[in-house]
Amino acid sequence: MDVLVTGATGFVGNAVVQALLQRNHHVVGLVRNKQKAEALGKEGVELAIGDMLEPTSYAPIVERVDGVIHAAQLSIPGRFSRSRVTEVQRADHIMTQALAQECLKHDKKFIYTNGIFSYAPGGDQWITEESPMKPPFFGKGHYEMFNYLQQLHKEQGLKCIILTAGFVYGAGGLFTRSFIE
């Protein structure tokens, strides 16, 4: 398959790219910085430069791929604050809506990477797909996009999978940078 991966140099996006390459898929990697992505280019990834806030920089790519995996997140300096989270959520809304509309227009598959913060805090209870979705402020952006994509699926037939990870962390991830000093 030909797959567009947003955030191809990011923590999640790069892992997705590597998995796709191992399975011999053609990957179009959407990146902000071509120099940062040179290693991906050497691995056979077709690099596309784009900005989450500028749909014209990536929307036209959707027509020529089989599917889109949206793993991009706006990079912010320092720890999360209310204003920084709002900025990240705004960028995700812009990109998610643009990609979903293009996928609908061209009958393409769309995978959206969501976070566990879309769900209400569970305390000592496990969080499952049946758990209530009443997110804290930090998760409202993904929650809104979850509902938006579900609506597009039900009303207009968007071929969409919403992948919700419990939490993603590891070497190079934003966990330590954003939550602890």
Side-chain angles (χ1 to χ4, degrees), residues 111-163:
I111 297 176
Y112 179 73
T113 57
N114 185 25
I116 197 70
F117 293 116
S118 292
Y119 290 88
D124 291 336
Q125 301 298 312
W126 283 94
I127 294 174
T128 70
E129 290 177 344
E130 288 79 34
S131 297
M133 293 186 89
K134 186 178 178 190
F137 175 75
F138 189 76
K140 286 188 179 183
H142 277 173
Y143 171 75
E144 291 167 0
M145 291 300 91
F146 179 96
N147 287 326
Y148 172 76
L149 294 170
Q150 290 284 52
Q151 182 179 357
L152 285 182
H153 169 72
K154 289 176 185 172
E155 295 176 4
Q156 298 181 42
L158 175 66
K159 296 175 184 173
C160 181
I161 294 173
I162 300 170
L163 178 63

Side-chain angles (χ1 to χ4, degrees), residues 73-87:
Q73 179 173 300
L74 186 68
S75 180
I76 57 168
R79 295 176 69 191
F80 284 116
S81 65
R82 184 168 282 277
S83 63
R84 287 178 176 154
V85 168
T86 299
E87 191 178 342

Side-chain angles (χ1 to χ4, degrees), residues 7-177:
T9 59
F11 189 66
V12 173
N14 188 266
V16 170
V17 166
Q18 296 307 316
L20 290 168
L21 290 174
Q22 288 174 2
R23 289 161 183 81
N24 296 316
H25 294 290
H26 174 254
V27 178
V28 179
L30 186 68
V31 300
R32 287 184 306 262
N33 182 317
K34 195 168 188 171
Q35 286 73 32
K36 185 178 174 185
E38 284 179 355
L40 289 178
K42 291 177 183 174
E43 293 181 68
V45 174
E46 179 185 337
L47 301 177
I49 308 302
D51 180 335
M52 290 181 79
L53 302 173
E54 296 294 333
T56 57
S57 68
Y58 52 82
I61 300 169
V62 174
E63 183 176 11
R64 62 185 183 89
V65 297
D66 299 308
V68 176
I69 301 175
H70 178 26
Q73 179 173 300
L74 186 68
S75 180
I76 57 168
R79 295 176 69 191
F80 284 116
S81 65
R82 184 168 282 277
S83 63
R84 287 178 176 154
V85 168
T86 299
E87 191 178 342
V88 169
Q89 292 173 346
R90 178 179 166 269
D92 185 54
H93 286 193
I94 290 169
M95 182 172 246
T96 302
Q97 291 171 345
L99 290 170
Q101 290 300 321
E102 288 297 311
C103 285
L104 264 174
K105 180 179 175 182
H106 300 291
D107 194 31
K108 305 296 178 165
K109 298 172 182 122
F110 186 57
I111 297 176
Y112 179 73
T113 57
N114 185 25
I116 197 70
F117 293 116
S118 292
Y119 290 88
D124 291 336
Q125 301 298 312
W126 283 94
I127 294 174
T128 70
E129 290 177 344
E130 288 79 34
S131 297
M133 293 186 89
K134 186 178 178 190
F137 175 75
F138 189 76
K140 286 188 179 183
H142 277 173
Y143 171 75
E144 291 167 0
M145 291 300 91
F146 179 96
N147 287 326
Y148 172 76
L149 294 170
Q150 290 284 52
Q151 182 179 357
L152 285 182
H153 169 72
K154 289 176 185 172
E155 295 176 4
Q156 298 181 42
L158 175 66
K159 296 175 184 173
C160 181
I161 294 173
I162 300 170
L163 178 63
T164 302
F167 199 85
V168 180
Y169 63 93
L174 62 82
F175 183 78
T176 55
R177 184 185 82 227

